[in-house]
mmCIF file of all heavy atoms in Angstrom:
data_model
loop_
_atom_site.group_PDB
_atom_site.id
_atom_site.type_symbol
_atom_site.label_atom_id
_atom_site.label_comp_id
_atom_site.label_asym_id
_atom_site.label_seq_id
_atom_site.Cartn_x
_atom_site.Cartn_y
_atom_site.Cartn_z
ATOM 1 N N CYS A 271 85.354 43.939 4.597
ATOM 2 C CA CYS A 271 84.693 42.806 5.251
ATOM 3 C C CYS A 271 83.420 42.506 4.473
ATOM 4 O O CYS A 271 82.381 43.119 4.689
ATOM 5 C CB CYS A 271 84.391 43.142 6.710
ATOM 6 S SG CYS A 271 83.642 41.770 7.621
ATOM 7 N N PRO A 272 83.483 41.609 3.478
ATOM 8 C CA PRO A 272 82.416 41.436 2.512
ATOM 9 C C PRO A 272 81.041 41.061 3.091
ATOM 10 O O PRO A 272 80.022 41.522 2.599
ATOM 11 C CB PRO A 272 82.920 40.308 1.600
ATOM 12 C CG PRO A 272 84.415 40.306 1.794
ATOM 13 C CD PRO A 272 84.638 40.733 3.195
ATOM 14 N N SER A 273 81.005 40.181 4.091
ATOM 15 C CA SER A 273 79.727 39.786 4.704
ATOM 16 C C SER A 273 78.747 39.211 3.670
ATOM 17 O O SER A 273 77.637 39.687 3.505
ATOM 18 C CB SER A 273 79.094 40.971 5.438
ATOM 19 O OG SER A 273 80.069 41.624 6.247
ATOM 20 N N LEU A 274 79.208 38.159 3.019
ATOM 21 C CA LEU A 274 78.413 37.553 1.952
ATOM 22 C C LEU A 274 77.365 36.578 2.462
ATOM 23 O O LEU A 274 76.409 36.264 1.756
ATOM 24 C CB LEU A 274 79.334 36.808 0.970
ATOM 25 C CG LEU A 274 80.396 37.656 0.254
ATOM 26 C CD1 LEU A 274 81.272 36.794 -0.626
ATOM 27 C CD2 LEU A 274 79.732 38.762 -0.569
ATOM 28 N N ALA A 275 77.527 36.057 3.690
ATOM 29 C CA ALA A 275 76.621 35.033 4.182
ATOM 30 C C ALA A 275 75.166 35.523 4.175
ATOM 31 O O ALA A 275 74.227 34.786 3.862
ATOM 32 C CB ALA A 275 77.010 34.576 5.590
ATOM 33 N N LEU A 276 74.974 36.812 4.511
ATOM 34 C CA LEU A 276 73.613 37.362 4.508
ATOM 35 C C LEU A 276 73.035 37.366 3.086
ATOM 36 O O LEU A 276 71.871 36.977 2.879
ATOM 37 C CB LEU A 276 73.643 38.788 5.090
ATOM 38 C CG LEU A 276 72.298 39.510 5.102
ATOM 39 C CD1 LEU A 276 71.304 38.823 6.025
ATOM 40 C CD2 LEU A 276 72.454 40.970 5.509
ATOM 41 N N LEU A 277 73.820 37.779 2.105
ATOM 42 C CA LEU A 277 73.356 37.768 0.714
ATOM 43 C C LEU A 277 72.996 36.347 0.286
ATOM 44 O O LEU A 277 71.934 36.103 -0.292
ATOM 45 C CB LEU A 277 74.468 38.255 -0.228
ATOM 46 C CG LEU A 277 74.786 39.748 -0.296
ATOM 47 C CD1 LEU A 277 75.988 39.965 -1.224
ATOM 48 C CD2 LEU A 277 73.602 40.536 -0.795
ATOM 49 N N VAL A 278 73.904 35.432 0.565
ATOM 50 C CA VAL A 278 73.721 34.044 0.120
ATOM 51 C C VAL A 278 72.475 33.445 0.756
ATOM 52 O O VAL A 278 71.642 32.829 0.080
ATOM 53 C CB VAL A 278 74.982 33.199 0.459
ATOM 54 C CG1 VAL A 278 74.737 31.734 0.204
ATOM 55 C CG2 VAL A 278 76.178 33.696 -0.354
ATOM 56 N N ASN A 279 72.295 33.674 2.066
ATOM 57 C CA ASN A 279 71.110 33.098 2.743
ATOM 58 C C ASN A 279 69.830 33.768 2.265
ATOM 59 O O ASN A 279 68.782 33.109 2.161
ATOM 60 C CB ASN A 279 71.261 33.243 4.252
ATOM 61 C CG ASN A 279 72.240 32.239 4.837
ATOM 62 O OD1 ASN A 279 72.837 31.450 4.085
ATOM 63 N ND2 ASN A 279 72.419 32.249 6.138
ATOM 64 N N ASN A 280 69.901 35.058 1.945
ATOM 65 C CA ASN A 280 68.722 35.737 1.400
ATOM 66 C C ASN A 280 68.285 35.125 0.077
ATOM 67 O O ASN A 280 67.100 35.159 -0.273
ATOM 68 C CB ASN A 280 68.988 37.226 1.200
ATOM 69 C CG ASN A 280 68.629 38.047 2.423
ATOM 70 O OD1 ASN A 280 67.685 37.709 3.137
ATOM 71 N ND2 ASN A 280 69.373 39.097 2.673
ATOM 72 N N ILE A 281 69.226 34.589 -0.665
ATOM 73 C CA ILE A 281 68.904 33.922 -1.931
ATOM 74 C C ILE A 281 68.445 32.484 -1.668
ATOM 75 O O ILE A 281 67.387 32.065 -2.112
ATOM 76 C CB ILE A 281 70.136 33.936 -2.876
ATOM 77 C CG1 ILE A 281 70.535 35.384 -3.196
ATOM 78 C CG2 ILE A 281 69.829 33.158 -4.156
ATOM 79 C CD1 ILE A 281 71.946 35.513 -3.773
ATOM 80 N N GLU A 282 69.267 31.778 -0.910
ATOM 81 C CA GLU A 282 69.014 30.338 -0.749
ATOM 82 C C GLU A 282 67.780 30.028 0.091
ATOM 83 O O GLU A 282 67.121 29.024 -0.115
ATOM 84 C CB GLU A 282 70.238 29.662 -0.105
ATOM 85 C CG GLU A 282 71.448 29.648 -1.007
ATOM 86 C CD GLU A 282 72.652 28.956 -0.402
ATOM 87 O OE1 GLU A 282 72.577 28.521 0.784
ATOM 88 O OE2 GLU A 282 73.670 28.819 -1.108
ATOM 89 N N PHE A 283 67.466 30.910 1.047
ATOM 90 C CA PHE A 283 66.379 30.593 1.983
ATOM 91 C C PHE A 283 65.055 31.279 1.631
ATOM 92 O O PHE A 283 64.090 31.191 2.383
ATOM 93 C CB PHE A 283 66.761 30.988 3.429
ATOM 94 C CG PHE A 283 67.992 30.307 3.943
ATOM 95 C CD1 PHE A 283 68.647 30.794 5.072
ATOM 96 C CD2 PHE A 283 68.535 29.169 3.322
ATOM 97 C CE1 PHE A 283 69.793 30.179 5.571
ATOM 98 C CE2 PHE A 283 69.669 28.557 3.804
ATOM 99 C CZ PHE A 283 70.306 29.062 4.936
ATOM 100 N N HIS A 284 65.005 32.032 0.546
ATOM 101 C CA HIS A 284 63.782 32.771 0.220
ATOM 102 C C HIS A 284 62.615 31.814 -0.047
ATOM 103 O O HIS A 284 62.751 30.860 -0.790
ATOM 104 C CB HIS A 284 63.997 33.681 -0.992
ATOM 105 C CG HIS A 284 62.832 34.561 -1.273
ATOM 106 N ND1 HIS A 284 62.610 35.730 -0.581
ATOM 107 C CD2 HIS A 284 61.804 34.430 -2.143
ATOM 108 C CE1 HIS A 284 61.486 36.286 -1.025
ATOM 109 N NE2 HIS A 284 60.971 35.519 -1.981
ATOM 110 N N GLU A 285 61.475 32.130 0.553
ATOM 111 C CA GLU A 285 60.272 31.314 0.335
ATOM 112 C C GLU A 285 59.162 32.209 -0.206
ATOM 113 O O GLU A 285 59.096 33.385 0.128
ATOM 114 C CB GLU A 285 59.842 30.686 1.649
ATOM 115 C CG GLU A 285 60.886 29.744 2.206
ATOM 116 C CD GLU A 285 60.338 28.833 3.293
ATOM 117 O OE1 GLU A 285 59.435 28.042 2.974
ATOM 118 O OE2 GLU A 285 60.786 28.941 4.433
ATOM 119 N N PRO A 286 58.275 31.624 -1.049
ATOM 120 C CA PRO A 286 57.225 32.438 -1.670
ATOM 121 C C PRO A 286 56.344 33.162 -0.662
ATOM 122 O O PRO A 286 55.778 34.200 -0.965
ATOM 123 C CB PRO A 286 56.425 31.407 -2.470
ATOM 124 C CG PRO A 286 57.279 30.210 -2.578
ATOM 125 C CD PRO A 286 58.250 30.234 -1.452
ATOM 126 N N THR A 287 56.189 32.592 0.532
ATOM 127 C CA THR A 287 55.315 33.212 1.532
ATOM 128 C C THR A 287 56.011 34.320 2.340
ATOM 129 O O THR A 287 55.392 34.935 3.204
ATOM 130 C CB THR A 287 54.833 32.131 2.540
ATOM 131 O OG1 THR A 287 55.980 31.395 2.968
ATOM 132 C CG2 THR A 287 53.827 31.192 1.879
ATOM 133 N N ASP A 288 57.316 34.560 2.060
ATOM 134 C CA ASP A 288 58.038 35.588 2.839
ATOM 135 C C ASP A 288 57.439 36.975 2.640
ATOM 136 O O ASP A 288 56.917 37.271 1.567
ATOM 137 C CB ASP A 288 59.504 35.612 2.456
ATOM 138 C CG ASP A 288 60.275 34.458 3.052
ATOM 139 O OD1 ASP A 288 59.728 33.770 3.924
ATOM 140 O OD2 ASP A 288 61.441 34.243 2.644
ATOM 141 N N ALA A 289 57.571 37.791 3.660
ATOM 142 C CA ALA A 289 57.055 39.160 3.591
ATOM 143 C C ALA A 289 57.875 39.990 2.578
ATOM 144 O O ALA A 289 57.376 40.956 2.035
ATOM 145 C CB ALA A 289 57.109 39.793 4.958
#
Side-chain angles (χ1 to χ4, degrees):
C271 183
S273 313
L274 300 177
L276 178 65
L277 285 176
V278 172
N279 285 1
N280 269 326
I281 298 164
E282 292 182 356
F283 301 164
H284 185 80
E285 298 196 62
T287 49
D288 283 350

